[in-house]
Amino acid sequence: MENNTIVKTIRIGTRGSKLALWQANAVADKLQAAGLDTEIVIISTKGDQILDRSLVKLGSKGVFTEELEVGLREGTIEVAVHSAKDVQSTIPDELELVAFMEREIVNDVVLSFNPDFKLERDSKVMLGTSSTRRRALLRKYYPNVTTDESRGNLQTRLQKLKEGPFEALVLAYAGVIRMGYDHMIVHTFPDDEFVPAAGQGSVAVECARDLDPELKQLIKDAVDHADTHVCLLAERAFLRTMEGGCSIPSFALAKLTAEGKVRIHGGIVSLDGQQHLSEVYEGSQAEAEALGTRLAETILSRGGDKILKEIRSEREE
């Protein structure tokens, strides 16, 4: 089927924040360049509606995706666009992740209104973050730093920074650059130490498994970035095997080497930062998912299972 014979409008489901809309419009631009008509459909999720509780207390699983996935099942949208790091480790059988956009720089960064702000190993400052992983890594590498919950979209967080008790925010570079706040970056964490969350920096496109195959292929061809896709297959296999989500301080970053192999660095850190397990595996692109699975199994066997058990038992108390 030629692109210009596709007359169906692709309805793109997205959350309503400025960053989510940036992502949805980036996908729309690629689909339109492939000759497809698009329409943006804003859908509010539980994670958007409830801002006075942490992601841990919300349960975190699918809090930013569940309502979008209902739209896919009911056929009110053809695709859903997510931050790849927000997609739960296991998605329903009737849905699939069809494409991952080219990844932005993956690092975590610190934002401050004070251009002279410095974060050093012995800094005694309060930082705002909603991420369990970032809090745990800060406790490991910056033991004198304290943190305070900072949820909401980037603009809301910046307003809290202006008014709130903390002196800076810890965020993903990708969201910061996409929203044009990169001039506020005062510190960049090295990605081999402050390893990002699985999927960080990429945009995921999800659809119903029974969507018209030709249309699905057109969407994939227009949006998917092959190198990013293979890396995220490894990271998501790691996440799935760890049975982790936003509320678990696990981390995983896969990259392609100069020889075209997949190199994945992943692990877990205890909530207090005292226990830190990490490992690096490398293999062919064809075994990307197997690498992620094997890495997670190694981390679990080395004591990661005990860290997870302690985290879950603390939260049940």
Side-chain angles (χ1 to χ4, degrees):
M1 187 181 292
E2 295 295 331
N3 287 13
N4 58 15
T5 66
I6 297 286
V7 294
K8 185 170 185 175
T9 297
I10 307 298
R11 293 165 296 179
I12 301 170
T14 177
R15 298 163 59 201
S17 72
K18 286 186 178 180
L19 181 56
L21 288 169
W22 183 97
Q23 294 175 165
N25 280 298
V27 171
D29 288 346
K30 288 187 172 294
L31 294 176
Q32 289 166 15
L36 297 163
D37 291 328
T38 63
E39 175 191 346
I40 303 290
V41 179
I42 295 174
I43 298 172
S44 182
T45 69
K46 182 165 67 172
D48 299 310
Q49 296 158 11
I50 305 173
L51 296 176
D52 59 350
R53 276 184 274 164
S54 69
L55 292 175
V56 171
K57 289 178 181 171
L58 284 178
S60 87
K61 188 174 180 180
V63 296
F64 293 120
T65 60
E66 189 176 352
E67 288 79 2
L68 293 166
E69 290 182 334
V70 169
L72 292 174
R73 286 195 197 90
E74 294 180 348
T76 57
I77 54 175
E78 277 69 49
V79 300
V81 174
H82 316 285
S83 290
K85 69 180 176 61
D86 289 340
V87 181
Q88 62 270 36
S89 53
T90 303
I91 64 171
D93 290 341
E94 67 273 20
L95 305 176
E96 66 177 304
L97 296 172
V98 70
F100 294 102
M101 287 188 69
E102 183 172 7
R103 196 172 215 168
E104 183 50 87
I105 291 169
V106 298
N107 303 65
D108 286 321
V109 295
V110 177
L111 253 65
S112 177
F113 287 110
N114 174 12
D116 297 321
F117 178 91
K118 284 189 172 42
L119 181 65
E120 296 169 338
R121 298 286 173 175
D122 57 353
S123 293
K124 293 183 178 179
V125 295
M126 180 175 279
L127 302 178
T129 176
S130 61
S131 162
T132 305
R133 173 188 58 86
R134 290 174 184 142
R135 282 198 297 270
L137 288 173
L138 283 167
R139 286 177 186 131
K140 173 176 173 56
Y141 293 112
Y142 303 87
N144 296 319
V145 164
T146 54
T147 60
D148 193 31
E149 186 72 23
S150 172
R151 284 203 51 221
N153 62 45
L154 182 51
Q155 291 72 25
T156 299
R157 294 187 199 197
L158 287 171
Q159 189 59 35
K160 287 180 183 175
L161 174 59
K162 202 175 278 186
E163 302 167 352
F166 36 80
E167 297 165 60
L169 297 171
V170 185
L171 298 161
Y173 174 84
V176 172
I177 187 73
R178 287 164 181 164
M179 291 292 94
Y181 291 106
D182 47 309
H183 61 283
M184 292 179 62
I185 294 174
V186 291
H187 183 84
T188 300
F189 295 101
D191 66 22
D192 59 346
E193 178 180 277
F194 235 74
V195 185
Q200 185 160 305
S202 181
V203 176
V205 177
E206 187 179 22
C207 69
R209 199 170 286 280
D210 63 1
L211 184 68
D212 177 79
E214 287 188 77
L215 188 56
K216 193 189 298 184
Q217 189 62 48
L218 282 173
I219 293 167
K220 180 179 173 64
D221 290 345
V223 178
D224 195 50
H225 184 255
D227 289 355
T228 299
H229 198 129
V230 75
C231 289
L232 263 67
L233 286 178
E235 292 171 25
R236 286 186 55 76
F238 171 85
L239 192 66
R240 192 161 53 246
T241 308
M242 293 291 291
E243 296 185 353
C246 302
S247 64
I248 299 298
S250 66
F251 47 85
L253 175 62
K255 296 180 180 181
L256 295 188
T257 67
E259 297 75 32
K261 291 191 170 183
V262 177
R263 183 180 186 274
I264 180 168
H265 179 189
I268 190 169
V269 56
S270 60
L271 295 178
D272 62 7
Q274 296 302 302
Q275 301 173 74
H276 182 270
L277 301 173
S278 75
E279 194 70 63
V280 177
Y281 276 33
E282 187 174 305
S284 69
Q285 294 189 32
E287 56 182 335
E289 289 190 87
L291 284 172
T293 300
R294 199 175 347 134
L295 174 59
E297 289 170 347
T298 299
I299 294 297
L300 290 169
S301 70
R302 283 179 50 202
D305 56 343
K306 293 187 180 66
I307 293 175
L308 284 174
K309 189 175 178 182
E310 287 168 11
I311 290 170
R312 285 166 180 150
S313 101
E314 277 182 44
R315 287 173 180 166
E316 286 167 6
E317 289 174 0

